[in-house]
Amino acid sequence: MAYSSIYAPARMDPALPPLRVNLYSDTQTKPSPGMKEAMMAAEVGDEQHGDDPAILELCDRMAALLDKEAAVFLPSGTMCNQIAILTHCRAGDEILAHELSHIIANEGGGPGALTGAVVLGLRGERGQFDPETVRAALREPRRNAPPQTLLEVEQTANSGGGSVWPLDKLNAIMDTAHEAGMRTHMDGARLMNAVVAAGVPAHEMVAKCDSVWLDFTKGLGAPLGAVLCGSARFIDEAWQWKQRLGGSLRQGGICAAACTYALDHNVDRLAEDHANARFLAQGLAQVAGLMVEEPETNLVFFDTRGAGVTADELADRIRWDGVQVSTVGKYRVRACTHLDVDRAGVELAIQVIREKISR
Ligand SMILES: *Cc1c(COP(=O)(O)O)cnc(C)c1O
């Protein structure tokens, strides 16, 4: 069986012009000169022996930032989710998560393949759900029912339009899960976007999460790396899974130094990405036929149906003018602002999309 690339074929044509504005994903940010300098200067050791100073520093910073006992550095956010699930759950367990969540749609069936757990998809607007929905999904403890052991949420909710869970709603669903004897896990791929947008300190936002991670390869601009946080006991066990899966690193501090640099330089500026996303959404809303969802953070989703083009058709057309977006449905486009896109780039993208729609 052939697996399709995430890029439509026309966007891989060797004759394509170079990119001028890359709104495809905040994962495509490149390390800045300052970040590369920090990487070159990193003091490194052997992480598997627990003595890579740059990784230890990053883990200490993250544990303090999120007010958790301990932290572990991992190559990717996907590995954070999967190791958290391996640590919290056993085969046969049921996880509750939004039906559009990354662990259901974008991790290769990891919970089933690795843990043997099933994920029950919950419904709700903008990638979120309420305590009543969690309560309605709870099962009587019976011999023939799967044990429900974990509730998972995304902050921000990616497929929910980059929406920010309000703190009271987040706390309410986490309380509901804890009352039902479940543990709670936050996929914080874009946690700092939520923190900056809501103005709520990170440790308050994750206070009721038994485990939580932050990705450094999204809008924070590092080449790789994510940090998973939780209790000391949870992290001990997570470390064993990291080892089993071959995720233990040697001089990984070179990459951890980029993440620490990102914490120092690239968090507050996420507000710029959010302002650019709002500007982009306002510009696109003026284009006849486009239905634009109001962005809360750095992700802008819009529907092309009314303009008489599919999402892929539009993405292909604008790519020939050096503008790249991603498509997440027949008519749904995602445009993502990040530190390698400035206001002029957003203006250019609006102009190109307008031209290609009205031609
Ligand atoms: C990107 C993303 C992940 C996976 O992170 P990687 O570092 O790419 O493995 C998980 N969850 C959400 C919501 C994401 O956006």
Side-chain angles (χ1 to χ4, degrees):
M1 174 177 144
Y3 290 90
S4 70
S5 158
I6 53 174
Y7 291 103
R11 276 166 272 154
M12 299 182 58
D13 191 317
L16 281 171
L19 277 180
R20 291 194 289 171
V21 191
N22 187 356
L23 299 167
Y24 182 83
S25 173
D26 46 6
T27 54
Q28 302 205 349
T29 47
K30 304 264 170 68
S32 64
M35 182 176 277
K36 285 183 185 162
E37 261 171 50
M39 296 173 79
M40 298 283 285
E43 202 192 322
V44 296
D46 183 343
E47 195 225 12
Q48 205 175 112
H49 289 192
D51 60 11
D52 183 290
I55 291 183
L56 293 174
E57 183 192 347
L58 174 66
C59 289
D60 285 350
R61 285 278 300 268
M62 284 304 297
L65 180 70
L66 301 185
D67 195 18
K68 300 294 178 199
E69 285 172 6
V72 57
F73 182 61
L74 290 166
S76 72
T78 301
M79 208 188 261
C80 289
N81 273 339
Q82 294 306 322
I83 285 182
I85 291 168
L86 283 161
T87 306
H88 286 304
C89 305
R90 302 196 332 181
D93 284 4
E94 188 170 61
I95 300 164
L96 304 187
H98 194 274
E99 61 178 356
L100 301 177
S101 62
H102 203 274
I103 59 166
I104 292 182
N106 303 94
E107 301 191 9
L114 301 172
T115 305
V118 286
V119 190
L120 182 66
L122 305 182
R123 298 214 162 148
E125 293 293 303
R126 291 185 74 71
Q128 302 180 13
F129 43 84
D130 44 37
E132 294 73 60
T133 305
V134 175
R135 270 193 285 276
L138 295 177
R139 301 178 192 277
E140 290 287 320
R142 282 182 279 103
R143 275 189 199 151
N144 60 358
Q148 296 178 305
T149 48
L150 187 66
L151 177 87
E152 193 257 10
V153 294
E154 278 175 27
Q155 181 73 303
T156 63
N158 185 346
S159 300
S163 73
V164 180
W165 282 81
L167 189 58
D168 51 354
K169 190 174 177 186
L170 191 59
N171 285 342
I173 60 141
M174 300 239 161
D175 284 342
T176 307
H178 283 145
E179 281 156 22
M182 304 171 79
R183 283 175 293 275
T184 57
H185 171 70
M186 180 183 282
D187 170 338
R190 296 184 181 82
L191 172 63
M192 298 318 287
N193 291 85
V195 164
V196 167
V200 173
H203 66 95
E204 268 179 46
M205 203 169 253
V206 304
K208 290 180 188 275
C209 303
D210 296 308
S211 55
V212 51
W213 60 271
L214 171 67
D215 212 334
F216 289 91
T217 62
K218 302 274 160 92
L220 296 181
L224 59 84
V227 174
L228 175 65
C229 300
S231 70
R233 191 165 163 210
F234 171 84
I235 294 298
D236 267 351
E237 220 179 302
W239 239 110
Q240 187 151 58
W241 280 112
K242 164 169 161 152
Q243 193 73 49
R244 286 180 183 135
L245 295 173
S248 179
L249 306 165
R250 297 298 185 185
Q251 286 74 45
I254 296 218
C255 294
C259 302
T260 301
Y261 178 92
L263 284 180
D264 289 334
H265 297 90
N266 293 347
V267 173
D268 293 342
R269 64 151 308 286
L270 291 171
E272 263 174 65
D273 299 342
H274 300 169
N276 279 335
R278 284 193 298 273
F279 185 84
L280 176 63
Q282 282 156 10
L284 294 177
Q286 311 293 314
V287 179
L290 295 185
M291 286 274 294
V292 186
E293 296 171 32
E294 183 150 331
E296 292 180 45
T297 52
N298 68 324
L299 308 180
V300 179
F301 286 81
F302 60 95
D303 189 288
T304 61
R305 191 185 307 253
V309 285
T310 66
D312 275 337
E313 281 163 357
L314 178 64
D316 286 344
R317 285 184 200 169
I318 64 175
R319 180 60 188 86
W320 288 98
D321 275 337
V323 178
Q324 182 158 266
V325 292
S326 62
T327 60
V328 290
K330 189 159 186 209
Y331 296 103
R332 198 166 184 230
V333 176
R334 191 185 80 165
C336 190
T337 58
H338 51 75
L339 85 178
D340 290 341
V341 175
D342 59 13
R343 182 57 64 97
V346 175
E347 283 168 356
L348 180 68
I350 295 168
Q351 185 196 324
V352 167
I353 291 171
R354 183 185 298 120
E355 281 167 16
K356 295 297 163 182
I357 289 239
S358 54
R359 67 168 192 177

